Amino acid sequence: MKCCIVTLGCQMNQSDSERVRSVIEGMGYEMTDNEEEASLIGVVACSVRQKAIDKVYSKIHKWNQWKNSRPLVTFVSGCILPADEVKFLKLFDLVFRMNELPELPEMLQQCGVATEYAARHLLDGIERLDERTDFWQVDPIYSSSFEAYVPIQNGCDKFCSYCAVPYTRGREVSRASEDILAEVRRLVEAGVKSITLLGQNVNSYGLDRKGEEISFAELLRKVGEIGNACEQEFWVYFTSPHPRDMTRDVIEAIADYKCLAKQIHLPVQSGDEKLLRRMNRNHSIDAYMKIVDDIRELLPTATIFTDIIVGFSGETDEQLQSTAKLMEQVGFNMAYIAKYSPRVGARSARWEDDVSPQQKSERLAILAEIMKRSSLAHNMGMVGQTFRVLVDGADKRFDGALTGRTEGKLPVRILDAPEGLIGTFQNIEITSAAELSLAGKIA
Ligand code: 5AD
Ligand code: SF4
């Protein structure tokens, strides 16, 4: 019995998949990457990305044709909008919500009647998404031996007007800190080198269970203590925080512990306050810059990454210029710049998408140029110095080279290095720098 799991989405979906895999292996299935030899095919997908959903449709039609010639059961889960769930019910044997994962073996056994089973559950409504506790009890089968994601929270209460996540994943729920810390401890003991704490809105961790649960800064400190108490070298990241909940004590915690990586991903989305209000982000530019100043003061070596949306409904050229100015001021090491696209379910989907595709491309190019310039300036300053690098793979575009990342998550091409180093830390002397990347050799 073989099962193939197809993951189409972000790190959170990948992390969810690791737990799905664990339950399915527990049922006696062997995993395969080859859909053609699987008798069970599962999709973990994300409705927030239209491309992912389009791909699900093209794949399920193909799989349903295969059913004419061989036995095959299909299921789908992930962060799926209710509207897509209803459509998937007709196409898949089973649609379930991630919080129902512990019941998956039972649901699969009932397959055939499973569509009805799922339908009954879907009718219970979005509140059911809150019940993640049992899901988190499932031990994942990690896809890498040296890098791991640890979910600390699910869902989001922020309701940014462009975003569908609060509708696909429901309200914010924090995972018990004891469980998070136990998982981190296990990973460290197993020799994992990079751990990313995951959530839609990580720094509001614990706020849904005030008085019962610790804060995000306290959670980071406890993770930091795990690092201090052992010999192992490892880096802990988190993604993504919201500027509104980014308190100075979070940055102080990172400064105080060696294992807390000096890298901050802080989505800004826009450099214009009026647009930020329209996006329902509700923070000022001054507040954002104050966080950046705190980072520069307390974590002088930290890299700063961000997310930006161009061409949001109503965005003017002047507003784009404000974003450009903010980018110049901060000097981001990386900016994931996305062209706005309306997402079903999100509030802004009802507003006019009034920036033309061509304008969106032009605006993206303007910001990408600033991004490249600031990254190059930063990377040039690294040439000649030696940095700790986590070697993470073979370089597909350069024979004999490996790839790795610095603590600040800057990608490094490591020349003339043996594959046996993958999954280890190495001291790398940086020999050259380019926009968005570095190259070096083992020191
Ligand atoms: N259009 C474009 N980008 C979006 N993002 C979220 N929703 C949209 C949308 N409707 C981007 C944001 C967010 C990142 C994960 O995806 O920048 O931070
Ligand atoms: Fe929540 Fe806003 Fe992030 Fe969407 S973009 S997950 S609504 S904080």
Side-chain angles (χ1 to χ4, degrees), residues 331-335 368-383 410-411 430 432-439:
F332 291 109
N333 296 90
M334 183 63 201
E369 202 44 50
I370 299 173
M371 166 69 251
K372 284 193 233 161
R373 243 189 294 124
S374 63
S375 154
L376 181 63
H378 176 275
N379 292 356
M380 291 296 281
M382 293 171 74
V383 176
L410 302 178
I430 302 300
S432 68
E435 294 162 349
L436 312 176
S437 71
L438 298 151

CSV table of all heavy atoms in Angstrom, one decimal, residues 331-335 368-383 410-411 430 432-439:
chain,number,residue,atom,x,y,z
A,331,GLY,N,16.5,49.5,4.3
A,331,GLY,CA,17.6,48.7,3.6
A,331,GLY,C,17.3,47.2,3.9
A,331,GLY,O,18.2,46.6,4.5
A,332,PHE,N,16.2,46.7,3.5
A,332,PHE,CA,15.9,45.3,3.7
A,332,PHE,C,16.9,44.4,3.1
A,332,PHE,O,17.4,44.7,2.0
A,332,PHE,CB,14.5,45.0,3.2
A,332,PHE,CG,13.3,45.7,3.9
A,332,PHE,CD1,12.6,46.7,3.3
A,332,PHE,CD2,13.0,45.3,5.2
A,332,PHE,CE1,11.6,47.3,4.0
A,332,PHE,CE2,12.0,45.9,5.9
A,332,PHE,CZ,11.2,46.9,5.3
A,333,ASN,N,17.1,43.3,3.7
A,333,ASN,CA,18.0,42.3,3.1
A,333,ASN,C,17.2,41.4,2.1
A,333,ASN,O,17.8,40.8,1.2
A,333,ASN,CB,18.6,41.3,4.2
A,333,ASN,CG,19.5,42.1,5.1
A,333,ASN,OD1,19.0,42.7,6.1
A,333,ASN,ND2,20.7,42.2,4.7
A,334,MET,N,15.9,41.4,2.4
A,334,MET,CA,15.1,40.6,1.4
A,334,MET,C,13.7,41.2,1.5
A,334,MET,O,13.2,41.5,2.6
A,334,MET,CB,15.1,39.1,1.8
A,334,MET,CG,14.3,38.3,0.8
A,334,MET,SD,15.1,38.3,-0.8
A,334,MET,CE,13.7,37.9,-1.8
A,335,ALA,N,13.0,41.3,0.4
A,335,ALA,CA,11.6,41.7,0.4
A,335,ALA,C,10.8,40.8,-0.6
A,335,ALA,O,11.2,40.7,-1.7
A,335,ALA,CB,11.5,43.2,0.0
A,368,ALA,N,11.7,46.3,-6.7
A,368,ALA,CA,12.7,45.2,-6.8
A,368,ALA,C,14.1,45.8,-7.0
A,368,ALA,O,15.1,45.3,-6.5
A,368,ALA,CB,12.3,44.2,-7.9
A,369,GLU,N,14.1,46.9,-7.7
A,369,GLU,CA,15.4,47.5,-8.0
A,369,GLU,C,16.0,48.1,-6.7
A,369,GLU,O,17.2,47.9,-6.4
A,369,GLU,CB,15.1,48.7,-9.0
A,369,GLU,CG,16.3,49.2,-9.8
A,369,GLU,CD,17.2,48.1,-10.3
A,369,GLU,OE1,16.6,47.2,-11.0
A,369,GLU,OE2,18.4,48.1,-10.1
A,370,ILE,N,15.2,48.7,-5.9
A,370,ILE,CA,15.7,49.2,-4.6
A,370,ILE,C,16.1,48.1,-3.7
A,370,ILE,O,17.2,48.1,-3.1
A,370,ILE,CB,14.5,50.0,-3.8
A,370,ILE,CG1,14.1,51.2,-4.7
A,370,ILE,CG2,15.0,50.4,-2.5
A,370,ILE,CD1,12.9,51.9,-4.2
A,371,MET,N,15.3,47.0,-3.7
A,371,MET,CA,15.6,45.8,-3.0
A,371,MET,C,17.0,45.3,-3.3
A,371,MET,O,17.9,45.0,-2.5
A,371,MET,CB,14.5,44.8,-3.3
A,371,MET,CG,14.7,43.4,-2.9
A,371,MET,SD,14.7,43.2,-1.2
A,371,MET,CE,16.4,42.9,-0.8
A,372,LYS,N,17.3,45.1,-4.6
A,372,LYS,CA,18.5,44.6,-5.1
A,372,LYS,C,19.7,45.5,-4.7
A,372,LYS,O,20.7,45.0,-4.3
A,372,LYS,CB,18.5,44.4,-6.6
A,372,LYS,CG,17.7,43.2,-7.1
A,372,LYS,CD,17.9,42.9,-8.5
A,372,LYS,CE,16.7,42.9,-9.3
A,372,LYS,NZ,16.8,43.1,-10.7
A,373,ARG,N,19.5,46.8,-4.8
A,373,ARG,CA,20.6,47.7,-4.4
A,373,ARG,C,20.9,47.6,-3.0
A,373,ARG,O,22.1,47.5,-2.6
A,373,ARG,CB,20.1,49.2,-4.8
A,373,ARG,CG,21.0,49.8,-5.8
A,373,ARG,CD,20.7,51.3,-6.0
A,373,ARG,NE,19.4,51.6,-6.5
A,373,ARG,CZ,18.5,52.3,-5.9
A,373,ARG,NH1,18.8,52.9,-4.7
A,373,ARG,NH2,17.3,52.6,-6.4
A,374,SER,N,19.9,47.6,-2.1
A,374,SER,CA,20.2,47.6,-0.7
A,374,SER,C,20.8,46.2,-0.3
A,374,SER,O,21.7,46.2,0.6
A,374,SER,CB,19.0,47.9,0.2
A,374,SER,OG,18.0,46.9,0.0
A,375,SER,N,20.4,45.1,-0.9
A,375,SER,CA,20.9,43.8,-0.6
A,375,SER,C,22.4,43.8,-1.0
A,375,SER,O,23.3,43.3,-0.3
A,375,SER,CB,20.1,42.8,-1.3
A,375,SER,OG,20.8,41.6,-1.5
A,376,LEU,N,22.7,44.3,-2.2
A,376,LEU,CA,24.0,44.2,-2.8
A,376,LEU,C,25.0,45.0,-1.9
A,376,LEU,O,26.1,44.6,-1.5
A,376,LEU,CB,24.1,44.8,-4.2
A,376,LEU,CG,25.5,44.8,-4.9
A,376,LEU,CD1,26.0,43.3,-5.0
A,376,LEU,CD2,25.4,45.4,-6.2
A,377,ALA,N,24.5,46.2,-1.4
A,377,ALA,CA,25.4,47.1,-0.6
A,377,ALA,C,25.7,46.3,0.7
A,377,ALA,O,26.9,46.3,1.2
A,377,ALA,CB,24.7,48.4,-0.2
A,378,HIS,N,24.7,45.6,1.3
A,378,HIS,CA,24.9,44.9,2.5
A,378,HIS,C,25.9,43.7,2.3
A,378,HIS,O,26.9,43.5,3.0
A,378,HIS,CB,23.6,44.4,3.1
A,378,HIS,CG,23.7,43.5,4.3
A,378,HIS,ND1,24.0,42.2,4.2
A,378,HIS,CD2,23.7,43.8,5.6
A,378,HIS,CE1,24.1,41.7,5.4
A,378,HIS,NE2,23.9,42.6,6.3
A,379,ASN,N,25.6,43.0,1.2
A,379,ASN,CA,26.4,41.8,0.9
A,379,ASN,C,27.9,42.1,0.6
A,379,ASN,O,28.8,41.3,0.9
A,379,ASN,CB,25.8,40.9,-0.2
A,379,ASN,CG,24.4,40.3,0.2
A,379,ASN,OD1,24.0,40.5,1.4
A,379,ASN,ND2,23.7,39.7,-0.7
A,380,MET,N,28.1,43.2,-0.1
A,380,MET,CA,29.5,43.6,-0.4
A,380,MET,C,30.3,43.8,0.8
A,380,MET,O,31.5,43.4,0.9
A,380,MET,CB,29.5,44.9,-1.2
A,380,MET,CG,28.9,44.8,-2.6
A,380,MET,SD,29.8,43.8,-3.7
A,380,MET,CE,31.2,44.8,-4.1
A,381,GLY,N,29.6,44.3,1.9
A,381,GLY,CA,30.3,44.5,3.2
A,381,GLY,C,30.7,43.2,3.8
A,381,GLY,O,31.5,43.2,4.8
A,382,MET,N,30.2,42.0,3.3
A,382,MET,CA,30.5,40.7,4.0
A,382,MET,C,31.7,40.1,3.3
A,382,MET,O,32.3,39.1,3.9
A,382,MET,CB,29.3,39.8,3.8
A,382,MET,CG,28.1,40.2,4.7
A,382,MET,SD,26.6,39.3,4.3
A,382,MET,CE,27.0,37.7,5.1
A,383,VAL,N,32.1,40.6,2.1
A,383,VAL,CA,33.2,40.0,1.4
A,383,VAL,C,34.5,40.0,2.2
A,383,VAL,O,34.8,41.1,2.8
A,383,VAL,CB,33.4,40.6,0.0
A,383,VAL,CG1,34.6,40.0,-0.7
A,383,VAL,CG2,32.2,40.4,-0.8
A,410,LEU,N,20.9,34.5,4.6
A,410,LEU,CA,21.3,35.0,3.3
A,410,LEU,C,21.9,33.7,2.6
A,410,LEU,O,22.7,33.0,3.2
A,410,LEU,CB,22.4,36.1,3.4
A,410,LEU,CG,21.9,37.3,4.2
A,410,LEU,CD1,23.1,38.3,4.3
A,410,LEU,CD2,20.7,37.9,3.5
A,411,PRO,N,21.5,33.5,1.3
A,411,PRO,CA,21.9,32.3,0.6
A,411,PRO,C,23.4,32.4,0.2
A,411,PRO,O,23.8,33.5,-0.3
A,411,PRO,CB,21.0,32.3,-0.6
A,411,PRO,CG,20.4,33.6,-0.7
A,411,PRO,CD,20.5,34.3,0.6
A,430,ILE,N,33.6,34.5,2.8
A,430,ILE,CA,32.8,35.1,1.7
A,430,ILE,C,33.8,35.7,0.7
A,430,ILE,O,34.7,36.5,1.0
A,430,ILE,CB,31.8,36.1,2.1
A,430,ILE,CG1,30.8,35.5,3.2
A,430,ILE,CG2,31.1,36.7,0.9
A,430,ILE,CD1,30.0,34.4,2.7
A,432,SER,N,32.8,36.5,-2.8
A,432,SER,CA,32.1,37.5,-3.7
A,432,SER,C,30.7,37.6,-3.3
A,432,SER,O,30.1,36.8,-2.6
A,432,SER,CB,32.3,37.0,-5.1
A,432,SER,OG,31.5,35.9,-5.3
A,433,ALA,N,30.1,38.8,-3.7
A,433,ALA,CA,28.7,39.1,-3.4
A,433,ALA,C,28.0,39.5,-4.6
A,433,ALA,O,28.6,40.2,-5.5
A,433,ALA,CB,28.7,40.2,-2.3
A,434,ALA,N,26.7,39.2,-4.7
A,434,ALA,CA,25.9,39.6,-5.8
A,434,ALA,C,24.6,40.1,-5.2
A,434,ALA,O,24.4,40.0,-4.0
A,434,ALA,CB,25.6,38.5,-6.7
A,435,GLU,N,23.7,40.6,-6.0
A,435,GLU,CA,22.4,41.0,-5.5
A,435,GLU,C,21.7,39.8,-5.0
A,435,GLU,O,21.6,38.8,-5.7
A,435,GLU,CB,21.5,41.6,-6.7
A,435,GLU,CG,22.1,42.9,-7.3
A,435,GLU,CD,21.5,43.1,-8.7
A,435,GLU,OE1,20.9,42.2,-9.2
A,435,GLU,OE2,21.7,44.2,-9.2
A,436,LEU,N,21.3,39.8,-3.8
A,436,LEU,CA,20.5,38.7,-3.2
A,436,LEU,C,21.3,37.4,-3.0
A,436,LEU,O,20.7,36.4,-2.6
A,436,LEU,CB,19.3,38.4,-4.0
A,436,LEU,CG,18.4,39.6,-4.4
A,436,LEU,CD1,17.3,39.1,-5.3
A,436,LEU,CD2,17.9,40.3,-3.2
A,437,SER,N,22.6,37.3,-3.2
A,437,SER,CA,23.3,36.1,-2.9
A,437,SER,C,24.8,36.3,-2.7
A,437,SER,O,25.4,37.4,-3.0
A,437,SER,CB,23.1,35.1,-4.0
A,437,SER,OG,23.8,35.5,-5.1
A,438,LEU,N,25.4,35.3,-2.1
A,438,LEU,CA,26.9,35.4,-1.8
A,438,LEU,C,27.6,34.1,-2.2
A,438,LEU,O,26.9,33.1,-2.4
A,438,LEU,CB,27.0,35.5,-0.2
A,438,LEU,CG,26.4,36.7,0.4
A,438,LEU,CD1,26.0,36.3,1.9
A,438,LEU,CD2,27.4,37.8,0.4
A,439,ALA,N,28.9,34.2,-2.4
A,439,ALA,CA,29.6,33.0,-2.7
A,439,ALA,C,30.8,32.9,-1.8
A,439,ALA,O,31.4,34.0,-1.4
A,439,ALA,CB,30.0,32.9,-4.1
